[in-house]
Amino acid sequence: MSRKKKLRIVYAAATLCLLLIEIFIACFVHDRLIRPYIGDVLVVILLYTLLRTFIPEKGRFLPLGIFLFAVGVEVLQYFRLAELPGVRDSRFLRVLLGSVFDGKDIVCYGVGCLLTGAYELFGKRMEERNVDKDR
């Protein structure tokens, strides 16, 4: 099996695990820490693993792109996009976009993207060292 295919499987498994965790948090956790903060950190990591499933290599700036995307969605919440006709009538779109702007969410997205960025920087270096040892 090729290295790329192995990476895709690992990222797909991570995506599925994170998705299940996010669903569990959304359905069963109603606190003041996990749901509002940890859930937002995890959602950008989920996006990272999802995109890595399709782009398993050479995504050095992917965490930055995900952060900008997440901030863009938060800005749309600020402008109350979820209240527009068509969006307002779709529960799925309202949940997907969110309806309440909170600047703390941007900080949480930043933390999640910093974690994925650290993985990009340090995880890839460790991976390369292990490959060199195997030679």
Side-chain angles (χ1 to χ4, degrees), residues 9-125:
I9 291 169
V10 168
Y11 285 123
T15 299
L16 181 60
C17 289
L18 287 167
L19 180 61
L20 292 173
I21 291 168
E22 286 284 0
I23 290 169
F24 178 82
I25 289 171
C27 293
F28 301 110
V29 179
H30 304 287
D31 68 344
R32 293 183 179 179
L33 175 68
I34 306 279
R35 185 173 180 144
Y37 300 111
I38 305 301
D40 285 343
V41 170
L42 291 178
V43 78
V44 292
I45 297 172
L46 169 67
L47 285 173
Y48 173 82
T49 59
L50 176 65
L51 290 172
R52 279 303 206 180
T53 301
F54 301 102
I55 310 165
E57 299 176 322
K58 297 184 182 181
R60 187 175 177 181
F61 295 105
L62 188 58
L64 177 61
I66 291 170
F67 177 73
L68 294 174
F69 172 79
V71 169
V73 171
E74 198 68 27
V75 168
L76 293 176
Q77 291 174 5
Y78 178 80
F79 290 109
R80 300 180 179 191
L81 182 72
E83 295 177 14
L84 293 175
V87 177
R88 176 181 40 216
D89 303 328
S90 171
R91 179 166 167 73
F92 174 74
L93 286 176
R94 282 193 334 262
V95 169
L96 186 65
L97 291 174
S99 57
V100 178
F101 172 83
D102 187 348
K104 290 179 260 180
D105 290 350
I106 294 172
V107 173
C108 292
Y109 302 148
V111 168
C113 289
L114 284 173
L115 291 172
T116 58
Y119 169 75
E120 277 293 317
L121 187 62
F122 301 113
K124 299 291 181 181
R125 285 185 186 169

